[in-house]
Amino acid sequence: MIDRLIGFAMATAALIFTSVAVAGDWEEVAYDKDEDIRVYTRYVEGSDMKAFKGITTLESTVTAPIALLQDVKRAHEWVFNCKAMDLIEEIAPNNATYYTVTSMPWPVKNRDNISESLVIQDAGTGVVTVTIQARNDIFPANDDHVRIRELDATWTLEPQAEGLLKVTYEAHADPGGGLPSWLVNSFVVEAPLNTLRDFRELVVDKKYQSASREYITH
């Protein structure tokens, strides 16, 4: 049973795509030298669950990660334990709502969430920020899944010299469902590490690197 709970914790952490309330300093907890991925965690005020932050740098346009993030049919290939993701509504070219289902080990129910994504680029620095927050007013939960109602995340894309791009993926949430906080906190490292590893592999695809968006300048 403990193995199932561990798998559940890791999968839930992957859903947590975040701007977080600060209550402590970031502590580096993992470094993948081969993929140049660093993972940090910290405590958050008013929550038993830790926040995580994953950072990597790679050669990429600033638009490519946006194109990958918006390619919902491929989300299951790189978002850790994502079973499916669907676009609910495109509110504006840079603003949309999504429905996501995350696989859980039997006998735990799969999780689902509804989120709203907003993409903003700073005109001066060229830095792109993607904020993703829970939306619980679109349609109710069903008996097939446990709804994750507290979800808040941030992707920050910072252009560097020589065509490099610094990518920061920061997240915090309470997965609910009675999962012990100590267990979730034990596995918050796995979600950003695995997500960013697969992100790095896919984002270099030509169709993402050649993508353009009217609200982003390269």
Side-chain angles (χ1 to χ4, degrees):
M1 185 61 183
I2 190 69
D3 289 339
R4 291 171 182 164
L5 287 174
I6 287 171
F8 169 65
M10 294 168 65
T12 301
L15 266 176
I16 309 166
F17 278 93
T18 276
S19 303
V20 297
V22 179
D25 295 331
W26 289 110
E27 177 185 4
E28 184 173 333
V29 293
Y31 175 48
D32 183 334
K33 183 177 180 180
D34 293 336
E35 298 289 346
D36 187 25
I37 301 171
R38 296 184 184 274
V39 175
Y40 304 80
T41 63
R42 70 178 173 192
Y43 288 99
V44 176
E45 184 176 359
S47 175
D48 293 329
M49 311 298 177
K50 288 183 179 180
F52 70 68
K53 177 170 65 174
I55 300 176
T56 191
T57 301
L58 72 163
E59 187 173 343
S60 175
T61 68
V62 72
T63 307
I66 303 303
L68 176 56
L69 284 165
Q70 293 174 341
D71 190 356
V72 296
K73 298 305 180 185
R74 298 195 74 180
H76 69 281
E77 297 181 40
W78 66 280
V79 179
F80 190 57
N81 275 25
C82 175
K83 181 178 181 180
M85 181 182 293
D86 291 303
L87 173 67
I88 299 174
E89 179 186 9
E90 184 180 282
I91 302 168
N94 66 329
N95 185 201
T97 53
Y98 299 91
Y99 177 71
T100 305
V101 176
T102 296
S103 295
M104 299 294 172
W106 185 89
V108 178
K109 283 187 176 181
N110 287 348
R111 261 48 183 174
D112 71 354
N113 73 282
I114 302 170
S115 61
E116 180 173 348
S117 172
L118 180 65
V119 184
I120 298 294
Q121 184 175 39
D122 184 282
T125 64
V127 173
V128 173
T129 303
V130 184
T131 56
I132 303 168
Q133 296 182 319
R135 285 285 304 273
N136 295 309
D137 58 336
I138 295 179
F139 57 82
N142 59 60
D143 293 336
D144 295 331
H145 306 104
V146 173
R147 176 64 51 85
I148 292 187
R149 300 185 179 278
E150 297 181 27
L151 173 68
D152 195 5
T154 301
W155 288 81
T156 305
L157 313 173
E158 303 176 69
Q160 309 289 297
E162 300 179 353
L164 296 177
L165 186 69
K166 180 181 178 182
V167 178
T168 303
Y169 168 37
E170 185 178 342
H172 175 263
D174 186 340
L179 191 68
S181 59
W182 65 264
L183 191 55
V184 176
N185 289 335
S186 296
F187 290 92
V188 293
V189 176
E190 298 299 324
L193 266 180
N194 284 280
T195 295
L196 286 174
R197 282 169 181 157
D198 291 335
F199 167 88
R200 287 178 59 93
E201 182 177 344
L202 292 183
V203 77
V204 295
D205 191 303
K206 183 178 179 179
K207 76 173 185 176
Y208 302 127
Q209 292 297 320
S210 62
S212 63
R213 297 292 186 271
E214 62 184 33
Y215 47 88
I216 297 176
T217 58
H218 289 267

